[in-house]
Amino acid sequence: MTVTRTEQALLEHYVKKILAAPVYELAVRTPLQAAPALSEALGNRILLKREDLQPTFSFKIRGAYNKLVQLTPEQRARGVITASAGNHAQGVALAARELGISASIVMPVTTPQLKVLGVRNRGAEAILHGESFPFALAHALDLAEQTGREFVSPFDDPDVIAGQGTVAMEILRQHPGQLDAIFVPVGGGGLIAGIAAYVKYLRPEVRIIGVESQHSACLQAALAAGERVTLPEVGTFADGVAVAQIGAHGLDICRFCVDEVMTVSNDQLCAAIKDIYDDTRSITEPSGALAVAGIKQYVAHTGARGQTLVAIDSGANINFDSLRHVAERAAVGAI
Ligand SMILES: *Cc1c(COP(=O)(O)O)cnc(C)c1O
């Protein structure tokens, strides 16, 4: 990777923000855990970064807290607003409660009651509006304008990206030895941007590989087109990454820091949920299993052996009722 001076300066800017992000007032340092069965099966050393163990059960708390903690006293007093049906909503709700900031979260009317309660139980206001995410988002932006509340993007914000980047800071400290690649699930690109900026600044030889759902591959589409594109349709099985357009700030980094982007099917995700369960006895949500599904596909395609590969296990917010479907499809998706 050859990096221009402007690009290097952008990375340095993010590394400084990541090192200064006070996320541990709320987030925890999660384990980087060996996956022995998967390692044996794939002939490579597989390590799982257990972000499913965060409070709210996903890494989103890192970015949400880092954004909210940096608001001015005036912005804090006016409160925050966001749109989300899932993990970002819970992250913002918890961070806002911790900091004594009033939070409104616009959720599509189709949002499962469980997640609406998850937001309300953390003291935030849940506003049900719109049939799907883009309508909820438009409403949240309108309300931000009308009420003066600060809009908190789930991914397209440098403070959010820096918060997510603390995942990479932990990985490099937890694993100073040989590290060949980090596989990162991609939705709107906040997580991969933060991780890629940190890793490419400090250990540029480590490959950063993005993994998208076949039904929401907006980073791959943007890299192919050379600009952000809006996907006409998005599948929601992996609801944590069901995003139609990659974030602008994220793409600025991914353009030169991501070595490869791959896509996987829903059945591959179900099989990966089982693999993670077999090694850890923990259940992952579909988006949370993207990176493991990506590693399996990577090893099958490249024949890689003896490498050390890290997968970000990004979240565990799955409805219990969905597990029947996951268990049924896992056998189909096994490769
Ligand atoms: C949000 C999320 C992602 C993707 O993160 P982006 O910053 O949107 O790319 C992946 N997995 C889970 C569980 C998430 O909640």
Side-chain angles (χ1 to χ4, degrees):
M1 174 177 105
T2 44
V3 172
T4 66
R5 282 173 66 170
T6 324
E7 289 168 347
Q8 189 69 6
L10 179 65
L11 295 188
E12 186 173 317
H13 171 74
Y14 271 105
V15 169
K16 285 180 178 163
K17 286 175 76 71
I18 291 166
L19 290 170
V23 298
Y24 303 108
E25 289 162 18
L26 198 53
V28 298
R29 286 180 182 75
T30 56
L32 184 64
Q33 182 183 334
L38 207 49
S39 301
E40 172 78 25
L42 297 180
N44 291 274
R45 184 171 176 211
I46 313 299
L47 303 172
L48 303 177
K49 181 62 172 161
R50 296 288 309 276
E51 286 298 300
D52 58 312
L53 297 176
Q54 289 292 352
T56 74
F57 309 103
S58 90
F59 69 88
K60 287 287 197 313
I61 188 71
R62 297 177 184 260
Y65 188 78
N66 193 45
K67 171 70 184 176
L68 265 55
V69 81
Q70 312 213 24
L71 297 177
T72 65
E74 294 73 33
Q75 289 170 322
R76 287 189 187 204
R78 285 198 297 272
V80 296
I81 186 159
T82 190
S84 161
N87 294 337
H88 176 64
Q90 325 234 12
V92 169
L94 184 60
R97 188 178 70 183
E98 185 73 14
L99 293 166
I101 298 173
S102 147
S104 295
I105 298 173
V106 184
M107 310 172 96
V109 292
T110 48
T111 305
Q113 187 67 6
L114 194 87
K115 291 186 173 173
V116 178
L117 289 178
V119 164
R120 291 193 175 138
N121 289 343
R122 294 191 170 89
E125 178 193 21
I127 301 166
L128 296 173
H129 186 97
E131 280 303 318
S132 63
F133 178 73
F135 298 101
L137 176 66
H139 189 57
L141 290 169
D142 279 350
L143 287 178
E145 192 130 311
Q146 286 164 27
T147 60
R149 284 177 181 269
E150 183 77 9
F151 178 75
V152 182
S153 169
F155 48 79
D156 202 3
D157 181 300
D159 291 322
V160 173
I161 290 173
Q164 323 301 31
T166 57
V167 173
M169 179 179 76
E170 289 170 29
I171 292 172
L172 295 192
R173 287 178 187 173
Q174 288 167 316
H175 189 82
Q178 184 206 336
L179 180 53
D180 294 284
I182 303 178
F183 290 73
V184 188
V186 179
L191 178 64
I192 194 169
I195 289 178
Y198 192 86
V199 170
K200 288 300 177 185
Y201 188 77
L202 287 150
R203 293 192 56 186
E205 79 283 6
V206 177
R207 287 168 63 78
I208 300 294
I209 301 181
V211 189
E212 295 188 295
S213 159
Q214 277 174 357
H215 308 284
S216 56
C218 63
L219 175 57
Q220 209 174 51
L223 291 174
E227 61 180 358
R228 296 199 301 154
V229 294
T230 304
L231 303 176
E233 244 178 306
V234 162
T236 57
F237 175 64
D239 57 330
V241 294
V243 175
Q245 189 184 41
I246 199 78
H249 291 285
L251 185 59
D252 280 347
I253 295 173
C254 292
R255 236 178 359 87
F256 68 99
C257 288
V258 169
D259 295 278
E260 185 180 335
V261 183
M262 52 171 55
T263 61
V264 297
S265 69
N266 290 347
D267 288 346
Q268 283 175 277
L269 291 181
C270 293
I273 292 172
K274 178 176 186 294
D275 293 319
I276 295 169
Y277 177 80
D278 285 343
D279 259 324
T280 64
R281 293 295 182 272
S282 66
I283 303 279
T284 308
E285 66 180 275
S287 305
L290 272 165
V292 165
I295 285 183
K296 291 172 70 182
Q297 181 166 299
Y298 178 82
V299 171
H301 286 181
T302 63
R305 287 291 177 272
Q307 299 196 0
T308 300
L309 308 172
V310 169
I312 314 292
D313 178 347
S314 55
N317 289 304
I318 183 167
N319 277 341
F320 188 77
D321 298 346
S322 316
L323 294 176
R324 181 202 344 232
H325 171 80
V326 169
E328 274 171 17
R329 300 304 299 181
V332 181
I335 50 171

